[in-house]
Amino acid sequence: TQGIAPIGEIVVSLDTAKKQAAERKVSFHQEVLLLILHGLLHIGGQGDENVRDWCEMRKSEFELLMRAL
């Protein structure tokens, strides 16, 4: 649509997602979804640079992941 500019982009390394999925003992698809949600939260302004923000990010990721699954 004209007049709508992108506000960010999300890049997911599928190789990294596969490795992390195995480490976390989750499915590949769940890991990719988690990485996409993480990126969307960053685009939305949420950070994870300190312990408090990191915990909030994990909470938000979990809540969104449960809704998506």
Side-chain angles (χ1 to χ4, degrees), residues 5 11-13 17-18 23 26 28-29 31-33 35 44-45 57 63 69:
V11 177
V12 175
S13 165
K18 184 177 179 181
E23 290 170 357
V26 299
F28 172 75
H29 293 105
E31 185 67 19
V32 170
L33 179 57
L35 292 168
M57 176 73 83
E63 290 170 352
L69 298 176

Side-chain angles (χ1 to χ4, degrees), residues 3-69:
I4 298 177
I7 58 172
E9 61 185 11
I10 298 169
V11 177
V12 175
S13 165
L14 299 181
D15 290 336
T16 300
K18 184 177 179 181
K19 180 183 170 200
Q20 288 180 183
E23 290 170 357
R24 298 176 202 233
K25 298 182 179 9
V26 299
S27 76
F28 172 75
H29 293 105
Q30 288 173 327
E31 185 67 19
V32 170
L33 179 57
L34 179 64
L35 292 168
I36 291 169
L37 292 172
H38 184 89
L40 287 170
L41 289 168
H42 274 300
I43 288 172
Q46 194 162 354
D48 57 3
E49 291 78 35
N50 59 54
V51 173
R52 185 175 145 254
D53 291 345
W54 184 89
C55 290
E56 277 297 313
M57 176 73 83
R58 295 303 161 270
K59 180 180 176 210
S60 297
E61 288 171 351
F62 178 78
E63 290 170 352
L64 290 171
L65 189 59
M66 290 301 101
R67 285 181 171 182
L69 298 176

